[in-house]
Amino acid sequence: MSLVPNLLRGAATLLLLTTGDAQAQTDAPVAPPAPADSQAMLLWFLLGALALVVALVALLFTALVIRLRPQLRRIYELPTVRGSWSGQVLGLLVGDAVLVRGEVRDEILDHDYDGIHEFDNDLPPWWKYSFYATILFAIGYLGYYHVSQSGQLQGDEYAAEMQQAALLISADADDPNKLTTYAALTAAGDLSSGKSLFVTNCAPCHGVNAEGKVGPNLTDEYWLHGGEVNHVYKTIKFGVPSKGMVAWKGKLSGKQILQVSSYLLSLQGSNPAGAKEPQGEKEAPTKPVAKL
């Protein structure tokens, strides 16, 4: 009768031991992954070791060639060896660069052009090898970029980089990459204010009548940075430092910049005296009409 209780106690003890081991394994700390700095150091160590091995092999090879140079020279002088391609490779080791520079025969052909004689010399092998390399490069470039379209062309790469750069710039009112959606002002008061602001701030470069001086003529249909009101607004607000156009943000309010932009569009086709020649691309923006 005591056999069953003993078996039960043994099973319970075994279960407790098993559970304890499992709990100990679960609670055991997991080794953290190696940090990135350690991996980088290991990579540089392996690269350094590889470079050292390559340098040692090159040094041993150079020492061996120098030691065996007399024997290699005698082998190279054999008629059956010297004319072969492998013999020319051997010639590089003994100081004869015929494989690279070719043989200069200096044989004059039976051609005479105003006292200028033509020599019958082949193109230098290094030049021909370089030309063959450009052909292989062109085939690889064509296949990679145009046939398989695996790589980005310059235009696509530029667009992708500009898109990534735009993500780093906050898309708020001071974002030069975010075009506004304003409509041109047409009220007489706004256009009058825009004229006053233009004469005060913009006339020194663009003329009192926007005919153009240092800056371009703003009364024709040609625009360097866009003739729609939001493009004109952007040009005035952020300026074009590379062309000498200053940024007016911080000096004029947003409404004032829109008033100036709308006033400029109202001058389209006014043809003032002494107007500067057209610059930029031809556009036909909507001309605001004052609401009296």
Side-chain angles (χ1 to χ4, degrees), residues 34-52:
D37 293 340
S38 300
Q39 295 179 356
M41 291 179 60
L42 178 60
L43 175 62
W44 284 112
F45 174 77
L46 294 176
L47 291 177
L50 179 61
L52 181 60

Side-chain angles (χ1 to χ4, degrees), residues 141-150:
Y141 183 93
L142 180 65
Y144 182 75
Y145 286 100
H146 295 279
V147 178
S148 65
Q149 297 182 349
S150 299

